[in-house]
Amino acid sequence: MEGKRNVRICCLCNERRASLKRPKTLQQICTECFYLAFENEIHQIILSNRLFSRGDRVAIGASGGKDSTVLAYVLSKLNRVHDYGLHLFLLSVDEGITGYRDDSLETVHRNQIQYGLPLKIVSYKDLYGWTMDEIVKLIGLKNNCTFCGVFRRQALDRGAAFLKVDKLVTGHNADDIAETILLNILRGDIARLSRCSSIVTGEDGPIPRCKPFKYTYEKEIVMYAYFKKLDYFSTECIYSPNAYRGFAREFIKDLERIRPRAILDIIKSGENFRISTTTKMHEQGTCERCGYISSQWVLIDDQSSSGDGGGSTRCCSSAWWMFTVTVPEALRSISHVCSGGGQNQEKNKEKGGSLHGCIHGKEDEEMKVVFIDKGKRFSAVQSH
Amino acid sequence: MACNGSGGGCQSGCYKDEETTCGQPTASSETDSKSSSNLCLKCKLNDVVSGYGGIDDGRFCADCFRSNLFGKFRLAVTSNAMISPTDRVLVAFSGGPSSRVALQFVHDMQERAHKNFEASRDRSLPVFGVGVVFIDESVVFPIPSHEMEEAVEAISLIVSSLAPPRKEFHFVPIETVYSSDSSDGKERLLELMNVVSDPTGREDMLLSLRMLALQKVASEFGYNRIVLGSCISRIAAHVISATVKGQGYSLPADIQYVDARWEIPVVLPLRDCFIQEINMFCRLDSLKTVKLSTGPSSSINSLVSSFVALLQEENPSRESTIVRTAGKLIPFQFNRIPEIIDGNVPLATRRRQKRYNLKSNESVSSESFCPLCNSPLDKSEIVDWSNLKNCRSSDTFYTSCCSSCQFQILPPDSTSMEKFYMDLPHSVVARSNQVNNGKLNALRYVFPFLVKEQIQDCLLSDGEDET
């Protein structure tokens, strides 16, 4: 960082000219050393956390964006160089968003050829019978991200199950994780706070997910993609980026400017938080209908009688959507669904018996309760 | 199909409600005209006042607001056994609104206790004593001398007006942390601070030194409690900045009502009060506060403070949510007032303390502390002392500090580190030596053979030979 102004020789190899300042350490280094340091760090993370075992089938959640593109590139390279013995696949979700996902999937298709990885695309249309475009038409732009996130989580699980993979890796980077830790503190979500900093999650679920980029800075990923001239898609989703998240994002960027190490320090704090075991955690379990893990429950009252009990089935809300209704129909025809949540149920009654179910948010998203009533009104409020 | 119907649009509806109450504070001077029809929720007699932030903003009249705020203070004091009749309490007063209100409340409480004492027949329950301390940090952050003189005058006036009962006032320069080791404390302090280049590190270093000075004064003048005015807003900011500095392990130690890891326990009775409430209280009762001019800060601390303040503006319960979240992290064993074993203390006091104290199974015990900031060390920060036998003491000191201090305060190179070590106050060095010796004791639990070595000469036969 200091000195060597006139020379500018890479401070790692001491041979080549330094052409970049490494965001994480502010060292002035050459691109070759940067590639090496970048890849090596991820290799070390994979080894020290024992993310994979030889022979594993691993799906890479590929959106066509920078993170997943770099992840696919680096992982296939490391697999080759260090002989991990992994079978890699690209797995994409098509939410059905015209002007965004169709374009980004083009990128994934190109990556499939460039990296020689088999690709599987699962679409909302096939899985659930509707596209996000249709949903947005119905519910408007508010809260659709949460909604979409919930279904993407399960779509990825289903795609992974189809590919019969042992693990699913996602491109969440250090900035994402630091941001999630802060957001969970800000909104008081202690249960998620305790989970969000783990490198492997969902070990008790059908397919464990891991984040090899947990300690990798977003800036370095962008830099890597830039110097390697990787082919990625950089447009944001047309259906509103989450404003609240953006706020925390900006704060992280400000911190990084003052102290690059702050991002790693936040993750370290997240790992070191000791959360009281007596703290009430969200109930996690397996849905009675679809078999997927869920932290929020919906009671489906099959007899259409009022209140809880009776012939109701406990299941995760995604299953509720999928098995009981398809969304456009739900708005028209469902007669009665009530949730297991006592407080919400009370509120619900006050509102004149409107229908209501809990959906479980994607791991990093805010929890929402979806209200649906006979008057075909559809909206969401934050719960907990 | 409406997205935000009357029933379903709750989220935006609630938010708007908050926004309107939030909007009031800025127009607080005109509230009289606006709120003529708004009666206090509590007494239903007087008009409400607003502008004090938090979730209660605009609900109470001035009187009910005052008693509500004092109620929060008193609840914190009684339910954590912060102050007992036999105690001598030292209030750390910076001149700012938070510590001003803390001082006022402690005084109010003392006054009541005094009245009760006068009225009681047997006068069995003594009245706790109160002293006030102001730490002068102008050596580190220079302030025009006339400004400091005025401030000190104003502060001593404030203290003397809070009588009876009379309160002793201690004006203490920060370099007092050197007073026992040498006369050139000022120079050494400056040298020490100059080694620290990181702006956040400088601020945090000063914070540690300030606590050292407070402890020193308290101990010298026989106080057994130190009262800080840290309010919820301050604590919320600390939660975030400690997280940002990687102090997730030690964080819970700093944010409890009681912090007894020091020789003299430190208590935070304003832990549940918002800064806006405190400002409002000062305004209503025209409490005089003193603000010393400070330069702009580019530290993590100030960045975090403005971030949290901004969030609080957007949502009036944000700060309490942050503190509540952090409150679910497991505190340490020292986060409570040590049990009184002294037989001279009235039984009622002891009983009360027992009732309210933290359950020990809900806390973590920690044996190792950073000698610089005194934060408990996590496993990865505790070093293997067997490898450090032949190291220079400055290097040993470096290794025994927490990783956060190592990064933001300690100099990275060995020579500057040695210099830094030489300039440290004696009490800090002593703390580090104590830590290291403690480490050896701790080792004995792990390696019984070390114990065996010590008593070897008294053993009649070697256990293994017997079989």
Side-chain angles (χ1 to χ4, degrees):
Chain A
M1 178 174 147
E2 63 266 279
K4 290 187 181 169
R5 231 185 212 167
N6 34 2
V7 199
R8 291 230 182 174
I9 291 289
C10 169
C11 69
L12 289 183
C13 62
N14 283 322
E15 280 172 19
R16 290 176 289 262
R17 211 171 63 89
S19 52
L20 61 97
K21 195 157 85 178
R22 195 175 174 200
K24 206 175 200 167
T25 56
L26 302 181
Q27 292 166 309
Q28 298 196 342
I29 55 177
C30 64
T31 45
E32 287 307 310
C33 285
F34 171 65
Y35 297 150
L36 214 65
F38 183 91
E39 290 156 10
N40 231 343
E41 232 170 64
I42 293 155
H43 175 58
Q44 291 308 324
I45 295 295
I46 289 173
L47 288 191
S48 59
N49 291 284
R50 298 179 189 202
L51 292 188
F52 311 116
S53 354
R54 176 164 286 279
D56 269 355
R57 293 167 66 88
V58 177
I60 303 165
S63 66
K66 57 175 172 22
D67 298 311
S68 57
T69 303
V70 174
L71 181 63
Y73 178 88
V74 171
L75 214 53
S76 48
K77 182 172 181 184
L78 291 177
N79 189 31
R80 206 170 49 240
V81 174
H82 297 285
D83 189 27
Y84 291 161
L86 302 179
H87 306 284
L88 297 174
F89 302 87
L90 292 174
L91 173 58
S92 296
V93 178
D94 182 3
E95 297 94 342
I97 302 173
T98 324
Y100 168 65
R101 189 52 87 211
D102 44 357
D103 290 350
S104 67
L105 283 177
E106 291 286 311
T107 320
V108 181
H109 274 293
R110 284 198 299 276
N111 291 344
Q112 173 191 10
I113 300 160
Q114 287 155 0
Y115 311 146
L117 300 173
L119 166 69
K120 164 77 185 164
I121 299 177
V122 283
S123 72
Y124 282 10
K125 190 75 188 173
D126 291 347
L127 286 179
Y128 313 119
W130 39 260
T131 64
M132 272 314 283
D133 284 342
E134 288 166 6
I135 293 295
V136 170
K137 242 181 236 161
L138 285 165
I139 69 173
L141 284 171
K142 239 185 158 190
N143 297 310
N144 54 53
C145 287
T146 312
F147 189 87
C148 183
V150 171
F151 291 104
R152 182 167 41 245
R153 185 177 176 78
Q154 194 164 113
L156 276 173
D157 272 344
R158 288 178 181 268
F162 176 88
L163 290 171
K164 296 193 176 61
V165 295
D166 305 293
K167 262 147 211 164
L168 177 60
V169 294
T170 54
H172 290 103
N173 58 42
D175 299 47
D176 293 332
I177 294 171
E179 188 182 308
T180 307
I181 291 170
L182 279 182
L183 279 178
N184 284 330
I185 298 175
L186 295 183
R187 61 177 168 231
D189 196 333
I190 196 78
R192 281 197 177 70
L193 185 61
S194 66
R195 274 183 268 136
C196 68
S197 52
S198 328
I199 192 159
V200 183
T201 53
E203 279 161 302
D204 42 355
I207 293 148
R209 294 160 173 249
C210 48
K211 308 164 191 151
F213 281 173
K214 184 185 169 190
Y215 302 100
T216 309
Y217 282 27
E218 184 175 81
K219 259 191 183 169
E220 300 205 344
I221 292 172
V222 175
M223 211 173 237
Y224 189 89
Y226 171 81
F227 282 113
K228 285 264 183 191
K229 299 193 174 57
L230 296 184
D231 183 5
Y232 71 90
F233 183 78
S234 62
T235 314
E236 280 211 53
C237 178
I238 52 168
Y239 297 133
S240 87
N242 193 325
Y244 191 58
R245 259 194 172 249
F247 204 48
R249 191 59 150 206
E250 218 165 280
F251 175 60
I252 302 255
K253 291 286 167 208
D254 287 343
L255 285 171
E256 192 189 1
R257 225 163 287 138
I258 302 185
R259 180 184 284 188
R261 146 186 168 128
I263 294 174
L264 289 180
D265 275 342
I266 294 173
I267 298 176
K268 183 185 170 203
S269 287
E271 291 167 341
N272 284 345
F273 283 147
R274 289 157 306 115
I275 290 158
S276 166
T277 45
T278 54
T279 307
K280 230 180 102 191
M281 292 292 176
H282 283 303
E283 193 186 350
Q284 271 206 344
T286 316
C287 173
E288 287 171 23
R289 289 212 177 203
C290 66
Y292 278 104
I293 192 162
S294 169
S295 54
Q296 283 286 313
W297 300 104
V298 180
L299 279 176
I300 298 180
D301 192 342
D302 294 328
Q303 269 103 58
S304 305
S305 58
S306 62
D308 40 11
S312 47
T313 312
R314 218 164 74 126
C315 82
C316 79
S317 46
S318 305
W320 169 58
W321 284 109
M322 282 185 298
F323 289 89
T324 334
V325 290
T326 52
V327 174
E329 265 174 44
L331 299 171
R332 272 176 251 120
S333 61
I334 279 299
S335 60
H336 208 106
V337 177
C338 68
S339 87
Q343 206 191 351
N344 289 327
Q345 206 169 333
E346 287 310 304
K347 270 188 210 160
N348 204 15
K349 274 177 190 159
E350 275 170 37
K351 291 200 166 83
S354 58
L355 309 175
H356 135 219
C358 273
I359 61 173
H360 62 104
K362 191 184 101 188
E363 195 181 39
D364 305 334
E365 297 279 356
E366 229 159 314
M367 185 66 69
K368 303 278 160 136
V369 176
V370 177
F371 273 83
I372 301 166
D373 73 8
K374 285 179 202 162
K376 290 171 188 164
R377 209 176 286 125
F378 193 109
S379 175
V381 294
Q382 193 179 333
S383 77
H384 313 297
Chain B
M1 198 164 296
C3 305
N4 282 309
S6 54
C10 180
Q11 187 186 31
S12 56
C14 291
Y15 184 64
K16 276 196 186 105
D17 286 349
E18 285 166 7
E19 228 174 23
T20 40
T21 44
C22 249
Q24 277 172 12
T26 46
S28 61
S29 49
E30 295 111 38
T31 43
D32 288 352
S33 58
K34 197 181 168 190
S35 61
S36 53
S37 58
N38 294 347
L39 286 181
C40 168
L41 257 151
K42 202 170 178 189
C43 65
K44 299 192 172 58
L45 288 174
N46 304 320
D47 285 348
V48 297
V49 288
S50 62
Y52 49 86
I55 24 181
D56 292 331
D57 192 12
R59 287 187 187 173
F60 301 135
C61 66
D63 283 340
C64 292
F65 163 75
R66 279 193 200 94
S67 59
N68 181 46
L69 197 64
F70 182 72
K72 287 199 216 179
F73 165 85
R74 202 178 42 194
L75 185 69
V77 170
T78 52
S79 53
N80 296 284
M82 285 182 190
I83 301 175
S84 307
T86 48
D87 286 342
R88 275 174 51 78
V89 177
L90 181 65
V91 181
F93 184 33
S94 68
S98 293
S99 50
R100 177 68 187 88
V101 170
L103 175 58
Q104 187 66 38
F105 283 168
V106 169
H107 165 71
D108 289 349
M109 213 171 155
Q110 190 196 28
E111 205 180 22
R112 280 177 206 198
H114 188 71
K115 274 185 191 145
N116 286 342
F117 174 78
E118 304 262 272
S120 72
R121 199 172 303 159
D122 56 353
R123 304 204 163 181
S124 63
L125 220 55
V127 180
F128 64 90
V130 177
V132 182
V133 60
F134 174 85
I135 309 280
D136 169 16
E137 289 159 9
S138 54
V139 182
V140 185
F141 293 118
I143 292 162
S145 63
H146 69 273
E147 199 183 323
M148 185 48 90
E149 276 163 32
E150 278 166 30
V152 172
E153 202 173 305
I155 286 168
S156 48
L157 198 70
I158 292 169
V159 176
S160 61
S161 69
L162 290 174
R166 205 187 77 81
K167 290 161 190 65
E168 201 172 338
F169 176 55
H170 311 271
F171 174 83
V172 176
I174 184 91
E175 57 270 27
T176 195
V177 293
Y178 288 97
S179 62
S180 59
D181 20 323
S182 61
S183 54
D184 59 344
K186 228 181 220 178
E187 289 73 36
R188 279 177 68 188
L189 179 67
L190 274 175
E191 292 276 306
L192 186 76
M193 291 302 286
N194 281 341
V195 178
V196 187
S197 55
D198 185 281
T200 318
R202 283 174 68 82
E203 284 181 16
D204 290 359
M205 177 75 194
L206 191 64
L207 203 70
S208 300
L209 290 174
R210 188 186 305 153
M211 179 54 82
L212 217 58
L214 287 174
Q215 289 290 330
K216 186 157 191 166
V217 177
S219 157
E220 255 167 37
F221 291 89
Y223 294 97
N224 65 341
R225 294 284 182 277
I226 295 173
V227 171
L228 297 187
S230 312
C231 60
I232 199 164
S233 316
R234 179 77 175 264
I235 295 170
H238 180 79
V239 169
I240 303 296
S241 50
T243 305
V244 168
K245 292 170 199 164
Q247 300 162 343
Y249 178 82
S250 62
L251 162 63
D254 311 331
I255 59 162
Q256 312 297 330
Y257 292 100
V258 177
D259 177 0
R261 82 188 101 157
W262 315 90
E263 185 199 342
I264 315 291
V266 175
V267 296
L268 315 179
L270 295 185
R271 188 183 177 269
D272 300 320
C273 306
F274 290 90
I275 187 67
Q276 295 94 331
E277 289 179 312
I278 284 163
N279 286 332
M280 183 67 164
F281 190 90
C282 289
R283 211 159 47 224
L284 285 175
D285 283 11
S286 349
L287 297 184
K288 196 171 159 36
T289 56
V290 179
K291 197 181 179 319
L292 294 166
S293 52
T294 46
S297 164
S298 59
S299 69
I300 300 251
N301 301 332
S302 60
L303 180 67
V304 168
S305 294
S306 46
F307 175 66
V308 173
L310 211 64
L311 289 174
Q312 173 71 11
E313 245 171 66
E314 166 235 26
N315 181 340
S317 58
R318 188 65 70 199
E319 287 170 346
S320 71
T321 307
I322 295 172
V323 175
R324 211 156 14 90
T325 316
K328 286 184 184 138
L329 302 176
I330 307 173
F332 291 85
Q333 264 176 5
F334 53 76
N335 285 127
R336 55 189 177 136
I337 294 291
E339 300 266 333
I340 308 160
I341 319 156
D342 185 0
N344 295 326
V345 176
L347 196 64
T349 313
R350 274 185 282 168
R351 220 178 271 146
R352 184 165 23 143
Q353 194 199 2
K354 229 178 208 146
R355 190 170 351 131
Y356 287 117
N357 240 334
L358 267 178
K359 284 165 199 75
S360 52
N361 57 0
E362 286 270 289
S363 58
V364 174
S365 64
S366 185
E367 284 159 358
S368 310
F369 296 88
C370 168
L372 204 55
C373 68
N374 211 13
S375 63
L377 298 174
D378 76 60
K379 268 189 226 126
S380 68
E381 288 168 325
I382 299 171
V383 280
D384 183 1
W385 292 97
S386 51
N387 299 339
L388 285 169
K389 265 182 188 155
N390 303 318
C391 281
R392 269 190 297 195
S393 42
S394 62
D395 291 338
T396 316
F397 183 85
Y398 184 93
T399 1
S400 60
C401 284
C402 71
S403 52
S404 174
C405 282
Q406 283 176 1
F407 172 74
Q408 63 170 13
I409 296 178
L410 301 180
D413 62 302
S414 201
T415 355
S416 328
M417 184 58 219
E418 202 171 356
K419 189 169 161 14
F420 180 87
Y421 182 73
M422 297 307 288
D423 284 327
L424 276 173
H426 177 70
S427 44
V428 174
V429 176
R431 193 152 69 191
S432 113
N433 291 338
Q434 207 179 351
V435 169
N436 300 353
N437 291 337
K439 210 64 70 17
L440 267 180
N441 285 329
L443 269 181
R444 287 195 189 105
Y445 290 107
V446 193
F447 304 115
F449 65 85
L450 284 177
V451 180
K452 209 174 169 189
E453 231 168 51
Q454 283 187 329
I455 53 171
Q456 193 74 53
D457 51 342
C458 301
L459 295 176
L460 293 177
S461 66
D462 213 324
E464 275 152 28
D465 288 350
E466 274 180 359
T467 50

